[in-house]
Amino acid sequence: MTYDTHGTGFDPYKPLEESLKFGDVVNRWLLVRPRQRIVQLLTGQRVLDVCCGTGNLTAMLAAAGCAVVGVDSSPTMLTHARRKLPALEFKQMDAARLPFDGEFEAAVIGIAIHEMRPQVREQVWESMRRAVRPGGRLVAMDFAVPPRTNLLSRIMG
């Protein structure tokens, strides 16, 4: 996730370290269908998985023949991903300041945009755009909280 946009070194996932294995199971189960659709779109391409977390989508892309690099700013998430998937490439970096220039056919970001401030979100999109060659794809998977227009939506939100 993109949290360390000011060089503070803060990792919000450190306190969750012990629960990541359980979170992985739930995460895989809940997101399998949208991730399968992303994999169908990107099969065989060179892909940058931005805010890759523990590497669930990264692993699916690699299994589909993608040359994939996972990036995340959280050392905790990356440690978990590397332990789980030692053959895959993971790098710690800020998604708003990716050093890539047209090196990928696609960049994907999943379940991270909603956590970003609007200014950071714009920086991440621009950074992803630079990482992808002209004519490549930018893919996002996320959710939005519905507007709180009635009592039920306020309770559920």
Side-chain angles (χ1 to χ4, degrees):
M1 303 291 177
T2 301
Y3 290 99
D4 190 16
T5 57
H6 303 290
T8 62
F10 175 68
D11 184 357
Y13 291 103
K14 185 66 177 164
L16 304 174
E17 193 167 17
E18 296 301 316
S19 63
L20 287 178
K21 287 182 184 178
F22 173 73
D24 260 358
V25 172
V26 172
N27 184 290
R28 281 192 303 265
W29 180 74
L30 289 175
L31 300 174
V32 67
R33 293 179 99 185
R35 283 184 174 148
Q36 285 172 340
R37 181 66 182 124
I38 290 170
V39 169
Q40 289 172 347
L41 287 171
L42 304 179
T43 296
Q45 296 182 26
R46 179 156 167 74
V47 180
L48 179 64
D49 185 0
V50 178
C51 301
C52 67
T54 63
N56 292 325
L57 179 57
T58 316
M60 290 175 71
L61 289 163
C66 293
V68 62
V69 175
V71 299
D72 202 293
S73 65
S74 167
T76 303
M77 293 295 220
L78 290 172
T79 296
H80 188 76
R82 289 177 180 129
R83 241 185 259 138
K84 184 171 68 173
L85 304 159
L88 298 184
E89 183 177 0
F90 294 99
K91 297 180 178 192
Q92 183 179 353
M93 55 184 63
D94 184 340
R97 294 174 182 84
L98 298 170
F100 308 109
D101 186 17
E103 297 174 38
F104 298 89
E105 294 172 274
V108 61
I109 186 168
I111 312 298
I113 295 171
H114 69 278
E115 297 180 2
M116 298 174 190
R117 295 184 321 274
Q119 179 184 359
V120 173
R121 189 178 310 130
E122 290 175 24
Q123 292 170 343
V124 170
W125 277 115
E126 179 58 25
S127 191
M128 288 173 62
R129 188 198 61 73
R130 279 191 317 274
V132 174
R133 66 167 171 73
R137 289 185 166 153
L138 296 178
V139 179
M141 173 182 65
D142 216 314
F143 63 87
V145 177
R148 296 170 191 222
T149 56
N150 60 41
L151 180 60
L152 180 60
S153 66
R154 287 182 186 162
I155 292 169
M156 293 178 66

